Amino acid sequence: MAIDQRSQLSLRAAITQGLILPRPIEPISMRPMPCGSSLLLMSVLLLPACQRPESQPNRAEPSTAPDTRSASANEQDDAEARAIAKDAYIYAFAMLENYNTLYKQVASPDAPEYVGGFGKFRHYAQLYTPDNHDVVTPNNDTPYSWAWLDLRAEPWVVTVPKVPEGRYYVQQWVDLFTYNFAYIGSRATGNGAASYLIAGPGWKGDTPAGIKQVFPSETSLVLTLTRTALNGPDDIGNVKKIQEGMKLQPLSSYLKTQAPPAAPEIQFPAYDADKVHSHDFIGYLNFLLQFTQPTNPSEAGLMERFAKIGIGPGRPFDATSLSQARLAAIDAGVADAKAAMADKAKATLSSNGLFGSRAVLKDDYLTRSIAAEKGLYGNSIEEAWYGGYVGDGNTPSMIHFSKDALPPAKFFWSVTLYTLPDRFLYANELKRYSIGDRTPGLKYDPDGGLTLYIGHVSPGKEKESNWLPAPAGPYSAVGRVYGPSQAAIEGKWNLPPLQPVQTHTP
């Protein structure tokens, strides 16, 4: 998604190494185009994250009982609280970033990102131009459709239309933890019309008639980020037709049976970036944990440990009720977590392998947090491979693929150029903002290889078919390979280096 400026590499180092860019996936910092997030199931009363208990402890009269604990014991407790807070913040980070999207898209009708609440698709079918500044690192390959489901009362059915062969689409389903728990689309399930069931953790029914597959989620609020391939301006109508054929409905509606009792209305705590990234993250985490029950067995011990600093599903959190020493310890733990994440971000030069299911990522919460920081809702690597370059348009450059090392895409591939530091498309006379195997007139080398040119100045009329215009200054070029080969998935294939164009002097 968007490139995180805190973790940007220097241009010199990035150019030299041909590094993958931070956040090369999809736009995360957006205004009208939403980001996306997931939450579901829970039939108990939901409490706001930062709600204080109705009865506050009486703090007017200090206790006269002697303190029998030694100073060293208190210091040991605070040291433990600091260590727990560090681990808890790292654990929570991806969920908190996810909640930022959820709150805007579901709970904020006045926000430009609002999708209409739960159970409704919001589709986008547009080609971005340099005039669009609503989204950073916009993707013209696959316009987005966003939707959130609340699975607390019952499962939901997603129905997809028959998509013409040769047209790529994918529905990526993401849970509250930001794990990719389900895929529907060209690669995973094919292009045929079908209905699928998205079920929360409390559902134990049999597969209903007419349902091709059941996808269980371990959280009761979930998101789909759906992408449909767009083949140029004249293709927008076809994309809209496919998008309009995607339907969402509760299982009872699909079966034409009586609906179960509605789940209680969720009282969403207002998203506050300052609070989310302070000791008050605990209140937000407690709110979100209500939708992740029952606790995954692999996290039972972790939750017992977290409980020592007030973390638990639906528990109120009031920082003012803590001693100054305990609050300082938690604050120090948050600072420790941010430092650990910064170190990890500096060492993470590729987004590939950062995203996936719980089974793939296991309980590596630091990697999960870096994935959210570098690009929320990145595809699992078997769906899409991401890579790229940082360069300077004043230096004419080229990317040469040998015949046996062309981008290994089952569906298609592209390289999109963005200006730096703003990360928007670059205005040019050709109105060419990306280049790839679907680019009209693309010329392959006589030996079957392919050479692309990137620079501010045209490489010459005979090479302009393969030219991606760049500004007279820094840029990033993001490569996307849809349906990568096993070699790409395993890291045995990579983009060739960005190298200066050879100039011949007589």
Side-chain angles (χ1 to χ4, degrees), residues 376-389:
L376 263 179
Y377 315 129
N379 268 308
S380 301
I381 193 170
E382 61 267 23
E383 191 68 37
W385 183 99
Y386 304 104
Y389 312 91

Side-chain angles (χ1 to χ4, degrees), residues 22 52 87 145 191 209 213 222 237 239 337 352 375 396 399 412 464:
R52 298 186 181 184
D87 292 344
S145 300
N191 280 24
Q213 189 172 348
V222 297
V239 169
N352 295 310
I399 305 169
F412 64 94
E464 278 193 354

Side-chain angles (χ1 to χ4, degrees), residues 45-54 56 267 269 283 314-318:
L45 181 63
L46 306 175
L47 299 175
C50 300
Q51 179 178 330
R52 298 186 181 184
E54 293 183 3
Q56 296 291 331
Q267 302 299 317
R315 288 181 64 175
F317 178 76
D318 179 13

Side-chain angles (χ1 to χ4, degrees), residues 7 9 17 19-20 22 340-351 354 366 370 373-374:
S7 60
L9 302 168
Q17 301 177 44
L19 299 177
I20 306 297
M341 289 173 58
D343 289 341
K344 178 73 170 179
K346 291 175 184 176
T348 303
L349 305 180
S350 170
S351 63
L354 296 183
L366 184 57
I370 296 305
E373 182 184 63
K374 288 185 176 291

Side-chain angles (χ1 to χ4, degrees), residues 69-153:
R69 291 176 55 83
S70 67
S72 60
N74 289 328
E75 290 173 358
Q76 185 175 358
D77 287 349
D78 290 338
E80 182 183 25
R82 177 174 180 169
I84 294 172
K86 174 187 175 181
D87 292 344
Y89 183 85
I90 291 172
Y91 174 90
F93 184 85
M95 300 173 70
L96 300 174
E97 293 297 290
N98 204 5
Y99 183 64
N100 183 21
T101 299
L102 169 68
Y103 185 74
K104 292 174 181 176
Q105 290 192 332
V106 172
S108 306
D110 295 331
E113 298 91 344
Y114 187 62
V115 302
F118 288 113
K120 298 179 181 179
F121 268 116
R122 181 171 179 179
H123 301 294
Y124 296 83
Q126 66 187 91
L127 276 173
Y128 288 97
T129 72
D131 294 329
N132 293 116
H133 290 180
D134 299 325
V135 180
V136 296
T137 60
N139 169 12
N140 273 341
D141 293 332
T142 55
Y144 302 135
S145 300
W146 299 86
W148 286 87
L149 299 180
D150 179 348
L151 306 175
R152 292 175 299 152

Side-chain angles (χ1 to χ4, degrees), residues 283-296:
Y284 286 93
L285 177 59
N286 289 353
F287 168 77
L288 295 172
L289 287 175
Q290 297 176 99
F291 308 99
T292 67
Q293 300 306 298
T295 298
N296 188 285

Side-chain angles (χ1 to χ4, degrees), residues 213-462:
Q213 189 172 348
V214 176
F215 294 106
S217 167
E218 61 176 295
T219 69
S220 50
L221 303 179
V222 297
L223 157 80
T224 179
L225 173 49
T226 294
R227 303 164 174 89
T228 306
L230 174 64
N231 301 313
D234 297 336
D235 193 40
I236 290 177
N238 295 324
V239 169
K240 287 183 176 180
K241 183 177 180 181
I242 294 170
Q243 291 175 331
E244 291 167 358
M246 298 176 182
K247 306 296 182 185
L248 297 168
Q249 57 186 319
L251 178 59
S252 59
S253 175
Y254 176 83
L255 296 176
K256 296 181 172 54
T257 59
Q258 183 175 353
E265 182 178 356
I266 301 173
Q267 302 299 317
F268 294 98
Y271 180 86
D272 184 319
D274 291 335
K275 288 185 176 181
V276 161
H277 300 298
S278 73
H279 52 249
D280 285 318
F281 85 89
I282 294 175
Y284 286 93
L285 177 59
N286 289 353
F287 168 77
L288 295 172
L289 287 175
Q290 297 176 99
F291 308 99
T292 67
Q293 300 306 298
T295 298
N296 188 285
S298 69
E299 295 183 350
L302 190 69
M303 289 299 134
E304 289 182 8
R305 181 167 174 259
F306 286 176
K308 294 180 180 181
I309 62 169
I311 293 173
R315 288 181 64 175
F317 178 76
D318 179 13
T320 65
S321 67
L322 303 179
S323 69
Q324 290 185 352
R326 176 52 58 90
L327 192 60
I330 293 175
D331 286 337
V334 171
D336 293 342
K338 292 177 180 179
M341 289 173 58
D343 289 341
K344 178 73 170 179
K346 291 175 184 176
T348 303
L349 305 180
S350 170
S351 63
N352 295 310
L354 296 183
F355 308 97
S357 64
R358 181 187 285 275
V360 170
L361 297 177
K362 305 190 184 302
D363 293 330
D364 185 349
Y365 306 118
L366 184 57
T367 294
R368 187 173 78 182
S369 69
I370 296 305
E373 182 184 63
K374 288 185 176 291
L376 263 179
Y377 315 129
N379 268 308
S380 301
I381 193 170
E382 61 267 23
E383 191 68 37
W385 183 99
Y386 304 104
Y389 312 91
V390 173
D392 192 304
N394 292 308
T395 302
S397 301
M398 66 181 188
I399 305 169
H400 176 70
F401 300 92
S402 62
K403 180 181 179 180
D404 59 355
L406 293 169
K410 180 179 180 180
F411 302 108
F412 64 94
W413 63 269
S414 70
V415 177
T416 305
L417 190 136
Y418 305 103
T419 58
L420 288 177
D422 49 23
R423 292 165 285 156
F424 298 135
L425 298 175
Y426 170 62
N428 62 85
E429 292 185 0
L430 295 184
K431 296 184 178 180
R432 181 180 293 160
Y433 314 120
S434 65
I435 196 166
D437 57 358
R438 300 180 300 164
T439 300
L442 189 70
K443 296 179 181 178
Y444 287 78
D445 300 334
D447 64 359
L450 178 65
T451 303
L452 305 179
Y453 299 92
I454 302 179
H456 185 59
V457 177
S458 169
K461 282 293 183 182
E462 70 282 1

